[in-house]
Amino acid sequence: MNSLRNVTSVSLFLVLASLMGGCGSSALRTVSSGQIGCAPSEVEITDDDVGWNTRSWTATCGGKRYYCS
């Protein structure tokens, strides 16, 4: 079973990335990278869910799964 960890990202970055139109999986890989200690190129993003005032996704790297918001 993969290790599971809750990870909180830098919401200001997501707001700015969203305003600049770059809030795709590349931006999520970059934000997740800084929190989980993997290079952005090694991070896989799945389950990207955007709500009215929230965003959550799953970042996977090195066999570990991280739940991010």
Side-chain angles (χ1 to χ4, degrees):
M1 181 176 162
N2 291 336
S3 296
L4 303 177
R5 288 180 46 185
N6 290 325
V7 178
T8 302
S9 67
V10 181
S11 43
L12 177 59
F13 177 84
L14 288 177
V15 169
L16 292 174
S18 153
L19 291 173
M20 295 179 349
C23 202
S25 66
S26 176
L28 295 178
R29 285 194 304 267
T30 300
V31 169
S32 301
S33 169
Q35 297 296 315
I36 64 178
C38 291
S41 61
E42 298 173 346
V43 177
E44 179 184 345
I45 302 297
T46 57
D47 303 323
D48 184 10
D49 184 30
V50 180
W52 173 253
N53 196 20
T54 61
R55 185 164 194 173
S56 62
W57 65 95
T58 302
T60 304
C61 179
K64 295 181 181 179
R65 188 176 301 154
Y66 303 87
Y67 297 98
C68 307
S69 62

